[in-house]
Amino acid sequence: MAEISVDLSGVGIREVLSGLGFPAPRWRIVAHAQYWGADDRFVAELMQLPIREYRDLGDLATTLDDRRQQRGRLTWARARIRPPVPRAPIP
């Protein structure tokens, strides 16, 4: 079975998670996505979600989007940190 690349526009998520009954715990969402051929990157992203029951597809998509935005902010924060400038020894 070919892997399905998933984006957060909703189309990919709906394709992979169609037929999944909600509310659903994280483990069932991950298992369903793996069974239907979601790509490894998306499955890894699902596995990083908080362990809880998700009310519906909108709840899941919102949580994924929030985590992606948070991860983006952390990446930019790290990029702004400059490495220390080496100093010449004092003679």
Coordinates of all heavy atoms in Angstrom, one line a residue:
M1 N 0.8 -1.2 0.0 CA 0.0 0.0 0.0 C 0.9 1.2 0.0 O 1.8 1.3 0.8 CB -0.9 0.0 1.2 CG -1.8 1.2 1.4 SD -2.8 1.2 2.9 CE -3.9 0.0 2.5
A2 N 0.6 2.2 -0.9 CA 1.4 3.4 -0.9 C 1.1 4.3 0.2 O -0.1 4.4 0.7 CB 1.1 4.1 -2.3
E3 N 2.1 5.1 0.7 CA 1.9 6.0 1.8 C 1.1 7.2 1.3 O 1.3 7.7 0.2 CB 3.2 6.4 2.4 CG 3.8 5.3 3.3 CD 5.0 5.9 4.1 OE1 5.5 7.0 3.8 OE2 5.4 5.2 5.0
I4 N 0.3 7.8 2.1 CA -0.5 9.0 1.8 C 0.1 10.1 2.5 O 0.2 10.1 3.8 CB -2.0 8.8 2.2 CG1 -2.6 7.6 1.4 CG2 -2.7 10.1 1.9 CD1 -4.0 7.3 1.9
S5 N 0.6 11.1 1.8 CA 1.1 12.3 2.5 C 0.0 13.1 3.0 O -1.0 13.3 2.3 CB 1.9 13.1 1.4 OG 2.5 14.2 2.1
V6 N 0.1 13.6 4.2 CA -1.0 14.3 4.9 C -0.6 15.7 5.2 O 0.5 16.0 5.7 CB -1.3 13.6 6.2 CG1 -2.4 14.3 7.0 CG2 -1.7 12.1 6.0
D7 N -1.5 16.6 4.9 CA -1.3 18.0 5.2 C -2.4 18.5 6.2 O -3.3 17.7 6.4 CB -1.2 18.9 4.0 CG -2.5 18.9 3.2 OD1 -3.5 18.4 3.7 OD2 -2.5 19.5 2.1
L8 N -2.2 19.6 6.8 CA -3.2 20.1 7.7 C -4.3 20.9 7.1 O -5.1 21.5 7.8 CB -2.5 20.9 8.8 CG -2.0 20.0 10.0 CD1 -1.5 20.9 11.1 CD2 -3.1 19.1 10.5
S9 N -4.4 21.0 5.8 CA -5.5 21.7 5.2 C -6.8 21.0 5.4 O -7.9 21.6 5.3 CB -5.3 21.8 3.7 OG -5.3 20.6 3.1
G10 N -6.7 19.8 5.9 CA -8.0 19.1 6.3 C -8.3 18.0 5.3 O -8.8 17.0 5.6
V11 N -7.9 18.2 4.0 CA -8.2 17.2 3.0 C -7.4 15.9 3.3 O -8.0 14.8 3.3 CB -7.8 17.7 1.6 CG1 -8.0 16.7 0.6 CG2 -8.6 19.0 1.3
G12 N -6.1 16.0 3.5 CA -5.4 14.8 3.8 C -5.8 14.1 5.1 O -5.8 12.9 5.2
I13 N -6.0 14.9 6.1 CA -6.5 14.3 7.4 C -7.8 13.6 7.2 O -8.0 12.4 7.7 CB -6.6 15.4 8.5 CG1 -5.2 15.9 8.8 CG2 -7.3 14.9 9.7 CD1 -5.3 17.1 9.8
R14 N -8.7 14.2 6.5 CA -10.0 13.5 6.3 C -9.9 12.2 5.5 O -10.5 11.2 5.8 CB -11.0 14.5 5.6 CG -11.7 15.5 6.6 CD -12.8 16.2 5.8 NE -12.3 17.1 4.8 CZ -12.1 18.4 5.0 NH1 -12.3 18.9 6.1 NH2 -11.6 19.1 4.0
E15 N -9.0 12.2 4.5 CA -8.8 11.0 3.7 C -8.3 9.9 4.5 O -8.7 8.8 4.4 CB -7.8 11.4 2.6 CG -7.6 10.2 1.6 CD -6.6 10.6 0.5 OE1 -6.7 11.8 0.0 OE2 -5.9 9.7 0.1
V16 N -7.3 10.2 5.4 CA -6.7 9.1 6.2 C -7.6 8.7 7.4 O -7.6 7.5 7.7 CB -5.3 9.6 6.7 CG1 -4.7 8.6 7.8 CG2 -4.3 9.7 5.6
L17 N -8.3 9.6 8.0 CA -9.0 9.3 9.2 C -10.5 9.1 8.9 O -11.3 9.1 9.9 CB -8.8 10.4 10.2 CG -7.3 10.5 10.7 CD1 -7.2 11.6 11.7 CD2 -6.8 9.2 11.3
S18 N -10.9 9.1 7.7 CA -12.4 8.8 7.4 C -12.7 7.5 7.9 O -11.9 6.5 7.9 CB -12.6 8.9 5.9 OG -12.0 7.9 5.2
G19 N -13.9 7.4 8.5 CA -14.3 6.1 9.0 C -13.9 5.9 10.5 O -14.4 4.9 11.1
L20 N -13.1 6.7 11.0 CA -12.7 6.6 12.4 C -13.8 7.3 13.3 O -14.3 8.4 13.0 CB -11.4 7.4 12.7 CG -10.9 7.4 14.1 CD1 -10.6 6.0 14.7 CD2 -9.7 8.3 14.3
G21 N -14.3 6.5 14.2 CA -15.4 7.0 15.1 C -14.8 7.9 16.2 O -13.8 7.6 16.8
F22 N -15.4 9.0 16.4 CA -15.1 10.0 17.5 C -16.1 10.0 18.5 O -17.3 9.8 18.2 CB -14.8 11.4 16.9 CG -13.6 11.5 16.2 CD1 -13.5 11.4 14.8 CD2 -12.4 11.8 16.8 CE1 -12.3 11.5 14.1 CE2 -11.2 12.0 16.1 CZ -11.2 11.8 14.8
P23 N -15.8 10.2 19.8 CA -14.5 10.5 20.3 C -13.6 9.3 20.2 O -14.0 8.2 20.2 CB -14.8 10.9 21.8 CG -16.1 10.3 22.1 CD -16.9 10.2 20.8
A24 N -12.3 9.7 20.1 CA -11.3 8.6 19.9 C -10.0 8.9 20.7 O -9.6 10.1 20.7 CB -10.9 8.5 18.4
P25 N -9.4 7.9 21.4 CA -8.2 8.2 22.1 C -7.0 8.2 21.1 O -7.1 7.8 19.9 CB -8.0 6.9 23.0 CG -8.8 5.9 22.3 CD -9.9 6.6 21.6
R26 N -5.9 8.8 21.5 CA -4.8 9.0 20.7 C -4.3 7.7 20.0 O -4.0 7.6 18.8 CB -3.6 9.6 21.4 CG -2.4 9.9 20.5 CD -1.2 10.3 21.3 NE -0.6 9.2 22.0 CZ 0.5 9.2 22.6 NH1 1.2 10.3 22.7 NH2 1.0 8.1 23.2
W27 N -4.3 6.6 20.8 CA -3.8 5.3 20.3 C -4.6 4.8 19.1 O -4.1 4.3 18.1 CB -3.7 4.2 21.4 CG -5.0 3.7 21.9 CD1 -5.7 4.2 23.0 CD2 -5.8 2.7 21.3 NE1 -6.9 3.5 23.1 CE2 -7.0 2.6 22.1 CE3 -5.6 1.9 20.2 CZ2 -8.0 1.6 21.8 CZ3 -6.7 1.0 19.9 CH2 -7.8 0.9 20.7
R28 N -5.9 5.0 19.2 CA -6.8 4.6 18.1 C -6.6 5.4 16.8 O -6.6 4.9 15.7 CB -8.2 4.6 18.5 CG -9.1 3.8 17.5 CD -10.4 3.4 18.1 NE -11.0 4.3 19.0 CZ -12.3 4.7 18.9 NH1 -13.0 4.3 17.9 NH2 -12.8 5.5 19.7
I29 N -6.3 6.7 17.0 CA -6.1 7.6 15.9 C -4.8 7.2 15.2 O -4.7 7.1 14.0 CB -6.0 9.1 16.4 CG1 -7.4 9.5 16.9 CG2 -5.6 10.0 15.3 CD1 -7.4 10.8 17.7
V30 N -3.8 7.0 16.0 CA -2.5 6.5 15.4 C -2.6 5.2 14.7 O -2.1 5.1 13.5 CB -1.4 6.4 16.5 CG1 -0.1 5.8 16.0 CG2 -1.1 7.8 17.1
A31 N -3.3 4.2 15.3 CA -3.4 2.9 14.7 C -4.2 3.0 13.4 O -3.9 2.4 12.3 CB -4.1 2.0 15.6
H32 N -5.3 3.9 13.4 CA -6.1 4.0 12.2 C -5.3 4.7 11.0 O -5.4 4.2 9.9 CB -7.3 4.9 12.5 CG -8.4 4.9 11.5 ND1 -9.4 4.0 11.4 CD2 -8.6 5.8 10.4 CE1 -10.1 4.3 10.3 NE2 -9.7 5.4 9.8
A33 N -4.5 5.7 11.4 CA -3.7 6.4 10.4 C -2.6 5.4 9.8 O -2.4 5.4 8.6 CB -3.0 7.6 11.0
Q34 N -2.0 4.6 10.6 CA -1.0 3.6 10.2 C -1.7 2.6 9.2 O -1.2 2.3 8.2 CB -0.4 2.9 11.3 CG 0.6 3.8 12.1 CD 1.2 3.1 13.3 OE1 0.4 2.4 14.0 NE2 2.4 3.3 13.6
Y35 N -2.8 2.1 9.6 CA -3.6 1.1 8.9 C -3.9 1.6 7.5 O -3.8 0.9 6.5 CB -4.8 0.7 9.6 CG -5.6 -0.4 8.9 CD1 -5.2 -1.7 8.9 CD2 -6.7 -0.1 8.1 CE1 -5.9 -2.7 8.2 CE2 -7.4 -1.0 7.4 CZ -7.0 -2.4 7.5 OH -7.7 -3.3 6.8
W36 N -4.3 2.9 7.4 CA -4.7 3.4 6.1 C -3.6 4.1 5.3 O -3.8 4.8 4.3 CB -5.9 4.4 6.3 CG -7.1 3.6 6.6 CD1 -7.7 3.5 7.8 CD2 -7.9 2.8 5.7 NE1 -8.8 2.7 7.8 CE2 -8.9 2.2 6.5 CE3 -7.8 2.5 4.4 CZ2 -9.8 1.3 5.9 CZ3 -8.7 1.6 3.9 CH2 -9.7 1.0 4.6
G37 N -2.3 3.9 5.8 CA -1.2 4.3 5.0 C -0.7 5.7 5.1 O -0.1 6.3 4.1
A38 N -0.9 6.4 6.2 CA -0.4 7.7 6.4 C 1.1 7.7 6.4 O 1.7 6.7 6.8 CB -0.9 8.3 7.7
D39 N 1.7 8.7 5.9 CA 3.2 8.7 5.9 C 3.8 8.8 7.3 O 3.1 9.1 8.2 CB 3.7 9.9 5.0 CG 3.4 11.3 5.5 OD1 2.6 11.4 6.5 OD2 3.8 12.2 4.9
D40 N 5.0 8.3 7.4 CA 5.7 8.2 8.7 C 5.8 9.5 9.4 O 5.7 9.5 10.6 CB 7.1 7.6 8.5 CG 7.1 6.2 8.0 OD1 6.0 5.5 8.2 OD2 8.1 5.7 7.5
R41 N 6.0 10.6 8.7 CA 6.1 11.9 9.4 C 4.8 12.3 10.1 O 4.8 12.7 11.2 CB 6.4 13.0 8.3 CG 6.8 14.3 8.9 CD 7.2 15.2 7.7 NE 6.1 15.3 6.7 CZ 5.4 16.5 6.5 NH1 5.7 17.5 7.2 NH2 4.5 16.5 5.6
F42 N 3.6 12.0 9.4 CA 2.3 12.3 10.0 C 2.1 11.4 11.2 O 1.6 11.8 12.2 CB 1.2 12.2 9.0 CG -0.1 12.6 9.5 CD1 -0.4 13.8 10.0 CD2 -1.1 11.6 9.6 CE1 -1.6 14.2 10.5 CE2 -2.4 11.9 10.1 CZ -2.6 13.2 10.6
V43 N 2.4 10.1 11.1 CA 2.2 9.2 12.2 C 3.1 9.6 13.4 O 2.6 9.6 14.5 CB 2.5 7.7 11.7 CG1 2.5 6.8 12.9 CG2 1.5 7.3 10.7
A44 N 4.3 10.0 13.1 CA 5.2 10.5 14.2 C 4.6 11.7 14.9 O 4.6 11.9 16.1 CB 6.6 10.8 13.7
E45 N 4.0 12.6 14.1 CA 3.3 13.8 14.6 C 2.1 13.4 15.5 O 1.9 14.0 16.6 CB 2.9 14.7 13.5 CG 2.8 16.1 13.9 CD 2.6 17.0 12.7 OE1 2.7 16.5 11.5 OE2 2.5 18.2 12.9
L46 N 1.4 12.4 15.1 CA 0.2 12.0 15.9 C 0.7 11.4 17.2 O 0.1 11.5 18.2 CB -0.6 10.9 15.1 CG -1.4 11.4 13.9 CD1 -2.0 10.2 13.2 CD2 -2.5 12.4 14.3
M47 N 1.8 10.7 17.1 CA 2.3 10.0 18.4 C 2.8 11.0 19.4 O 2.9 10.7 20.6 CB 3.4 9.0 18.0 CG 2.9 7.8 17.2 SD 4.1 6.7 16.6 CE 4.5 5.8 18.0
Q48 N 3.1 12.3 18.9 CA 3.6 13.3 19.8 C 2.4 14.1 20.5 O 2.6 14.9 21.4 CB 4.5 14.3 19.1 CG 5.7 13.7 18.6 CD 6.6 13.2 19.7 OE1 6.8 13.8 20.7 NE2 7.1 12.0 19.5
L49 N 1.2 13.8 20.1 CA 0.0 14.5 20.6 C -0.2 14.1 22.1 O 0.2 13.0 22.5 CB -1.3 14.1 19.9 CG -1.4 14.6 18.5 CD1 -2.6 14.0 17.8 CD2 -1.5 16.1 18.5
P50 N -0.8 15.0 22.9 CA -1.1 14.6 24.3 C -2.0 13.4 24.3 O -2.9 13.2 23.5 CB -1.9 15.8 24.8 CG -1.5 16.9 23.9 CD -1.2 16.3 22.6
I51 N -1.8 12.5 25.3 CA -2.6 11.3 25.5 C -4.0 11.8 26.1 O -4.0 12.2 27.3 CB -1.9 10.3 26.4 CG1 -0.6 9.9 25.7 CG2 -2.8 9.1 26.6 CD1 0.2 9.0 26.6
R52 N -5.0 11.7 25.3 CA -6.3 12.1 25.7 C -7.3 11.6 24.6 O -6.9 11.1 23.6 CB -6.5 13.6 26.0 CG -6.4 14.5 24.7 CD -6.6 15.9 25.1 NE -6.6 16.8 24.0 CZ -7.6 17.2 23.2 NH1 -8.8 16.6 23.4 NH2 -7.5 18.0 22.2
E53 N -8.6 11.8 24.9 CA -9.6 11.5 23.9 C -9.9 12.8 23.1 O -10.1 13.8 23.7 CB -10.8 11.0 24.6 CG -11.5 9.9 23.8 CD -12.6 9.2 24.6 OE1 -13.6 9.8 24.9 OE2 -12.4 8.0 24.9
Y54 N -9.9 12.6 21.8 CA -10.2 13.8 20.9 C -11.7 13.7 20.5 O -12.2 12.7 20.1 CB -9.3 13.8 19.7 CG -7.9 14.0 20.2 CD1 -7.1 13.0 20.6 CD2 -7.4 15.3 20.2 CE1 -5.8 13.3 21.1 CE2 -6.1 15.6 20.7 CZ -5.3 14.6 21.1 OH -4.1 14.8 21.6
R55 N -12.4 14.8 20.7 CA -13.9 14.9 20.5 C -14.3 14.6 19.1 O -15.3 13.9 18.8 CB -14.4 16.2 20.9 CG -14.3 16.5 22.4 CD -15.0 17.9 22.7 NE -14.5 19.0 21.9 CZ -13.4 19.7 22.2 NH1 -12.7 19.5 23.3 NH2 -13.0 20.7 21.4
D56 N -13.5 15.2 18.1 CA -13.9 15.1 16.7 C -12.7 15.5 15.9 O -11.6 15.8 16.4 CB -15.1 16.0 16.3 CG -14.9 17.4 16.8 OD1 -13.8 17.9 16.8 OD2 -15.9 18.1 17.0
L57 N -12.8 15.4 14.6 CA -11.7 15.7 13.7 C -11.2 17.1 13.8 O -10.0 17.4 13.7 CB -12.2 15.4 12.2 CG -11.1 15.4 11.2 CD1 -10.0 14.4 11.6 CD2 -11.7 15.0 9.8
G58 N -12.2 18.1 14.1 CA -11.8 19.5 14.3 C -10.9 19.6 15.5 O -9.9 20.4 15.5
D59 N -11.2 18.9 16.6 CA -10.4 19.0 17.8 C -9.0 18.5 17.5 O -8.0 19.1 17.9 CB -11.1 18.1 18.9 CG -10.4 18.1 20.2 OD1 -9.7 19.1 20.5 OD2 -10.6 17.2 21.0
L60 N -8.9 17.4 16.8 CA -7.6 16.8 16.4 C -6.8 17.8 15.6 O -5.6 18.0 15.8 CB -7.8 15.5 15.7 CG -6.6 14.8 15.2 CD1 -5.6 14.4 16.3 CD2 -6.9 13.6 14.4
A61 N -7.5 18.3 14.5 CA -6.8 19.2 13.6 C -6.3 20.5 14.3 O -5.2 21.0 14.1 CB -7.7 19.6 12.5
T62 N -7.1 21.0 15.3 CA -6.7 22.2 16.0 C -5.5 21.9 16.9 O -4.6 22.7 17.0 CB -7.9 22.7 16.9 OG1 -9.0 23.0 16.1 CG2 -7.5 23.9 17.7
T63 N -5.5 20.8 17.6 CA -4.4 20.4 18.4 C -3.1 20.2 17.6 O -2.0 20.7 18.0 CB -4.7 19.1 19.2 OG1 -5.9 19.3 19.9 CG2 -3.6 18.7 20.1
L64 N -3.2 19.6 16.4 CA -2.1 19.4 15.5 C -1.5 20.8 15.1 O -0.3 21.0 15.1 CB -2.4 18.6 14.3 CG -2.5 17.1 14.5 CD1 -3.1 16.4 13.3 CD2 -1.1 16.5 14.8
D65 N -2.4 21.6 14.7 CA -2.1 23.0 14.2 C -1.4 23.8 15.3 O -0.3 24.4 15.1 CB -3.3 23.7 13.7 CG -2.9 25.0 13.0 OD1 -1.9 24.9 12.2 OD2 -3.6 26.0 13.2
D66 N -1.9 23.7 16.6 CA -1.3 24.4 17.7 C 0.1 23.9 18.0 O 1.0 24.7 18.2 CB -2.2 24.3 18.9 CG -3.5 25.0 18.9 OD1 -3.7 25.9 18.0 OD2 -4.4 24.7 19.7
R67 N 0.3 22.6 17.9 CA 1.6 22.0 18.2 C 2.6 22.4 17.1 O 3.7 22.7 17.3 CB 1.5 20.5 18.3 CG 0.8 20.1 19.6 CD 0.8 18.6 19.8 NE 2.1 18.1 20.0 CZ 2.8 18.1 21.2 NH1 2.3 18.7 22.2 NH2 4.0 17.6 21.3
R68 N 2.1 22.5 15.8 CA 3.0 22.9 14.7 C 3.4 24.4 14.9 O 4.6 24.7 14.7 CB 2.3 22.7 13.4 CG 2.3 21.3 12.9 CD 1.8 21.1 11.5 NE 1.9 19.8 11.0 CZ 1.5 19.4 9.9 NH1 0.9 20.2 9.0 NH2 1.7 18.1 9.5
Q69 N 2.4 25.2 15.3 CA 2.8 26.6 15.5 C 3.7 26.8 16.6 O 4.7 27.6 16.6 CB 1.5 27.4 15.7 CG 0.7 27.6 14.4 CD -0.6 28.4 14.7 OE1 -0.8 28.9 15.8 NE2 -1.5 28.4 13.7
Q70 N 3.5 26.1 17.7 CA 4.4 26.1 18.9 C 5.8 25.7 18.5 O 6.8 26.3 18.8 CB 3.8 25.3 20.0 CG 4.7 25.3 21.2 CD 4.1 24.4 22.3 OE1 3.4 23.4 22.0 NE2 4.4 24.7 23.5
R71 N 5.9 24.6 17.7 CA 7.2 24.1 17.3 C 7.9 25.1 16.4 O 9.1 25.3 16.5 CB 7.0 22.8 16.6 CG 8.3 22.0 16.4 CD 8.1 20.6 15.9 NE 7.3 20.6 14.7 CZ 6.2 19.9 14.5 NH1 5.7 19.2 15.5 NH2 5.6 19.9 13.4
G72 N 7.1 25.8 15.6 CA 7.7 26.9 14.7 C 8.2 28.0 15.5 O 9.3 28.5 15.2
R73 N 7.5 28.4 16.6 CA 8.0 29.5 17.4 C 9.3 29.1 18.1 O 10.2 29.9 18.3 CB 6.9 29.9 18.5 CG 5.8 30.7 17.9 CD 5.0 31.3 19.0 NE 4.3 30.3 19.8 CZ 3.1 29.8 19.6 NH1 2.4 30.3 18.5 NH2 2.6 29.0 20.4
L74 N 9.4 27.8 18.6 CA 10.6 27.4 19.3 C 11.8 27.4 18.3 O 12.9 27.7 18.7 CB 10.4 26.0 19.8 CG 9.4 25.9 21.0 CD1 9.2 24.4 21.4 CD2 9.9 26.7 22.2
T75 N 11.5 27.0 17.0 CA 12.6 27.0 16.0 C 13.1 28.4 15.8 O 14.3 28.6 15.8 CB 12.1 26.4 14.7 OG1 11.6 25.1 15.0 CG2 13.2 26.3 13.7
W76 N 12.2 29.3 15.7 CA 12.6 30.7 15.5 C 13.4 31.3 16.7 O 14.3 32.0 16.6 CB 11.4 31.6 15.1 CG 11.1 31.5 13.7 CD1 10.0 30.9 13.2 CD2 11.8 32.0 12.6 NE1 10.0 31.0 11.8 CE2 11.1 31.7 11.4 CE3 13.0 32.8 12.5 CZ2 11.5 32.0 10.2 CZ3 13.4 33.1 11.2 CH2 12.7 32.7 10.1
A77 N 12.9 30.9 17.9 CA 13.6 31.4 19.1 C 15.0 30.8 19.1 O 15.9 31.6 19.5 CB 12.8 30.9 20.3
R78 N 15.2 29.6 18.8 CA 16.6 29.0 18.7 C 17.4 29.7 17.7 O 18.6 29.9 17.9 CB 16.5 27.5 18.5 CG 16.0 26.7 19.6 CD 16.2 25.2 19.4 NE 15.3 24.5 20.2 CZ 14.3 23.8 19.8 NH1 14.1 23.6 18.5 NH2 13.5 23.2 20.6
A79 N 16.8 30.0 16.6 CA 17.6 30.7 15.5 C 18.1 32.0 15.9 O 19.1 32.5 15.4 CB 16.7 30.8 14.2
R80 N 17.4 32.7 16.8 CA 17.8 34.1 17.2 C 18.9 34.0 18.2 O 19.6 35.0 18.5 CB 16.6 34.8 17.8 CG 15.7 35.3 16.7 CD 14.7 36.3 17.2 NE 13.8 35.7 18.2 CZ 12.6 35.3 17.9 NH1 12.1 35.4 16.7 NH2 11.8 34.8 18.9
I81 N 19.2 32.9 18.8 CA 20.2 32.8 19.8 C 21.5 32.6 19.1 O 21.7 31.7 18.3 CB 20.0 31.6 20.8 CG1 18.7 31.8 21.5 CG2 21.2 31.4 21.7 CD1 18.3 30.5 22.3
R82 N 22.5 33.5 19.4 CA 23.8 33.5 18.7 C 24.8 32.7 19.6 O 24.8 32.8 20.8 CB 24.3 34.9 18.4 CG 23.3 35.6 17.5 CD 23.8 37.0 17.3 NE 22.9 37.7 16.4 CZ 23.1 38.8 15.8 NH1 24.3 39.4 16.0 NH2 22.2 39.4 15.1
P83 N 25.7 32.0 18.9 CA 26.7 31.3 19.7 C 27.6 32.3 20.4 O 27.8 33.4 19.9 CB 27.4 30.5 18.7 CG 27.1 31.1 17.4 CD 25.8 31.8 17.5
P84 N 28.2 32.0 21.5 CA 29.1 32.9 22.1 C 30.3 33.2 21.2 O 30.8 32.4 20.5 CB 29.6 32.2 23.4 CG 29.2 30.8 23.2 CD 28.1 30.7 22.2
V85 N 30.7 34.5 21.3 CA 31.9 34.9 20.5 C 33.2 34.5 21.3 O 33.3 34.8 22.5 CB 31.9 36.4 20.3 CG1 33.1 36.9 19.6 CG2 30.6 36.8 19.6
P86 N 34.1 33.8 20.6 CA 35.3 33.4 21.3 C 36.1 34.7 21.7 O 36.2 35.6 20.9 CB 36.1 32.5 20.3 CG 35.3 32.6 19.1 CD 34.0 33.3 19.3
R87 N 36.6 34.7 22.8 CA 37.4 35.9 23.3 C 38.9 35.5 23.3 O 39.3 34.4 23.7 CB 37.0 36.3 24.6 CG 35.6 36.8 24.6 CD 35.1 37.3 26.0 NE 33.7 37.6 25.9 CZ 33.2 38.5 26.6 NH1 33.9 39.1 27.6 NH2 31.9 38.8 26.5
A88 N 39.7 36.5 23.0 CA 41.1 36.2 23.0 C 41.6 36.2 24.5 O 41.1 36.9 25.3 CB 41.9 37.3 22.3
P89 N 42.5 35.3 24.8 CA 43.0 35.3 26.2 C 43.7 36.6 26.5 O 44.3 37.2 25.7 CB 44.0 34.1 26.2 CG 44.3 33.8 24.8 CD 43.2 34.4 23.9
I90 N 43.5 37.0 27.8 CA 44.1 38.2 28.3 C 45.6 37.9 28.6 O 45.9 36.9 29.3 CB 43.4 38.7 29.5 CG1 42.0 39.0 29.2 CG2 44.1 39.9 30.1 CD1 41.1 39.4 30.4
P91 N 46.5 38.7 28.0 CA 48.0 38.4 28.2 C 48.4 38.7 29.6 O 47.9 39.4 30.4 CB 48.7 39.3 27.2 CG 47.7 40.3 26.7 CD 46.4 39.8 27.1

